[in-house]
Amino acid sequence: LSPRPRGHFLALLPFVPTQAQSRVMDEVSADMADSRRPMNRLVQGDVGSGKTAVAAYAGWLCAGSGCQTALMAPTELLAEQHARTMEALLGPAGVRVALLTGSVKGKEKKALLAALAAGEIDLLVGTHALFSQGVEYKDLGLVIADEQHRFGVAQRAALAEKGGAVPPHVLVMSATPIPRTLALIIYGDLDVSIMYELPPGRTPVSTFMIGEDKRQRMYGFVRKQAAEGRQVYIVCPSVEEPGSLPEWGEPGGAPMDLKAVTTYAHELQEKIFPDLRVGFVHGKLKAKDKEAAMSAFAGGELDVLVSTTVVEVGVDVPNASLMVVENAERFGLSQLHQLRGRVGRGKHQSWCVLVTASRGEAAR
């Protein structure tokens, strides 16, 4: 790709990039200017280290050369958020951004696909719908996969094949910390960039593990955060009613009460926080209901958001200062790491509280 003066891109950013971001931008532009082989790079950086700005830079470079970019996210919620972010950042520079998810149907989808094939879309954001049948790009120059651990090599390859005879550049991003030796084994085909630095003003998150005996104190802490004008996530492992779930429990002990999102949200609203504004979101809600709940939370219209792991990746609400994870032993370490990264994104001291009834050594 032909180089573009980076100053034009930096003028679009509402912040000054960290040294880590600048270094990775250097690596990306060098990769994309190399005519001998396409870029194949993994950018690994902790939650909140600013990987999205690097992705936007790559998309901007690509658009400047008249090529198209496909940005793939693992969930509709995250795809929608990325589309908004990219539109806000790159729209003023004339980059045409569009969103394609499973919820886009009928005439709207037909028009979008026609625009894409005609080259009237520069950056298409979406879920795995991006590489489904019937999606044709005029000139796909760059594929960006966010949250790499959610996509297989086959999915990445399927999207890359949409580039036709000339393979597109590939940039994959992951917030899951992977030791370098392991990264070489899993992503042996990729060059690895690591972003160690967080933007200035980020506060480290204090993490605590508590048992059921401290539940009332935890509720008191939720109320205290809300009184100070902050917001709270409460994440549960399931959507269904508890009665419909298999009985999971400690050997010989009573089954654990898996908190079900909808029931728990209503219980919190009616019995525990009647004075607070409680909302809920989970993957089985209709797209517009999910969007409405997330927008209300992001806009400060809810104090508490009860959720499944749909908030695990990419959701950015700087005013949220507390993440409570119910039945924390039911989540994997990378999920807990991601969930904790949803708080500490603003200037306020933030906390992550892991609640577990499990007394097992492995869970602890």
Side-chain angles (χ1 to χ4, degrees):
L1 295 179
S2 53
R4 302 178 81 183
R6 190 173 311 165
H8 295 179
F9 174 74
L10 298 182
L12 301 169
L13 294 178
F15 54 84
V16 176
T18 63
Q19 283 179 310
Q21 282 175 313
S22 297
R23 173 175 49 78
V24 178
M25 283 182 199
D26 286 342
E27 291 168 348
V28 165
S29 61
D31 281 353
M32 291 175 75
D34 186 344
S35 58
R36 292 165 300 173
R37 66 183 187 110
M39 170 169 72
N40 229 2
R41 186 167 290 278
L42 165 69
V43 175
Q44 189 188 313
D46 206 347
V47 176
S49 61
K51 297 183 295 297
T52 308
V54 172
Y57 176 61
W60 177 81
L61 282 176
C62 194
S65 290
C67 298
Q68 294 169 304
T69 298
L71 168 51
M72 179 166 65
T75 64
E76 290 205 0
L77 206 61
L78 185 53
E80 285 155 11
Q81 180 156 325
H82 273 323
R84 279 197 298 272
T85 305
M86 293 296 167
E87 177 60 50
L89 269 180
L90 302 177
V95 176
R96 298 161 297 181
V97 179
L99 173 70
L100 176 63
T101 63
S103 307
V104 180
K105 292 189 169 73
K107 281 183 186 166
E108 189 190 353
K109 184 175 179 180
K110 205 171 169 186
L112 191 154
L113 293 180
L116 185 69
E120 290 157 17
I121 292 169
D122 301 308
L123 197 161
L124 183 63
V125 185
T127 51
H128 53 274
L130 293 183
F131 52 84
S132 55
Q133 231 180 338
V135 179
E136 299 300 335
Y137 299 80
K138 184 174 186 218
D139 188 0
L140 181 61
L142 171 66
V143 170
I144 303 171
D146 192 15
E147 291 315 326
Q148 169 54 32
H149 65 285
R150 298 290 199 86
F151 295 110
V153 176
Q155 284 174 307
R156 255 180 27 223
L159 189 46
E161 275 170 21
K162 296 274 184 191
V166 182
H169 295 291
V170 175
L171 181 68
V172 294
M173 304 192 288
S174 176
T176 306
I178 308 162
R180 189 173 269 284
T181 44
L182 189 58
L184 287 171
I185 296 166
I186 303 175
Y187 308 122
D189 58 327
L190 300 173
D191 298 313
V192 181
S193 296
I194 297 183
M195 292 167 65
Y196 286 117
E197 203 181 342
L198 287 182
R202 292 284 169 119
T203 50
V205 179
S206 302
T207 309
F208 298 93
M209 184 174 74
I210 63 169
E212 282 295 329
D213 55 329
K214 302 279 195 310
R215 177 168 291 282
Q216 293 313 314
R217 277 182 64 184
M218 182 267 284
Y219 287 151
F221 191 54
V222 170
R223 191 169 265 110
K224 181 170 177 278
Q225 291 300 302
E228 289 173 11
R230 304 284 80 76
Q231 290 164 282
V232 180
Y233 291 102
I234 299 182
V235 173
C236 310
S238 67
V239 182
E240 319 297 341
E241 300 305 302
S244 65
L245 287 160
E247 304 277 283
W248 294 94
E250 297 295 304
M256 287 183 275
D257 171 28
L258 286 180
K259 296 278 181 289
V261 172
T262 38
T263 321
Y264 189 34
H266 291 136
E267 188 184 312
L268 286 175
Q269 180 70 87
E270 287 158 24
K271 299 180 186 167
I272 296 158
F273 304 127
D275 48 333
L276 300 183
R277 299 162 302 169
V278 179
F280 64 88
V281 64
H282 54 74
K284 293 187 177 177
L285 279 179
K286 286 189 178 127
K288 66 174 192 299
D289 296 337
K290 260 191 288 199
E291 180 63 27
M294 289 309 305
S295 300
F297 190 66
E301 295 159 33
L302 293 174
D303 302 303
V304 178
L305 182 68
V306 185
S307 156
T308 54
T309 53
V310 290
V311 297
E312 178 191 335
V313 285
V315 180
D316 189 9
V317 181
N319 191 46
S321 61
L322 174 60
M323 165 64 70
V324 177
V325 183
E326 295 280 3
N327 303 100
E329 75 288 343
R330 304 275 301 166
F331 298 89
L333 279 177
S334 82
Q335 279 185 312
L336 291 175
H337 186 77
Q338 286 279 6
L339 288 168
R340 180 173 64 181
R342 296 305 108 219
V343 294
R345 302 178 77 85
K347 56 186 184 293
H348 315 290
Q349 170 60 48
S350 295
W351 292 268
C352 176
V353 177
L354 306 172
V355 186
T356 179
S358 168
R359 291 189 172 79
E361 215 25 64
R364 296 195 164 266

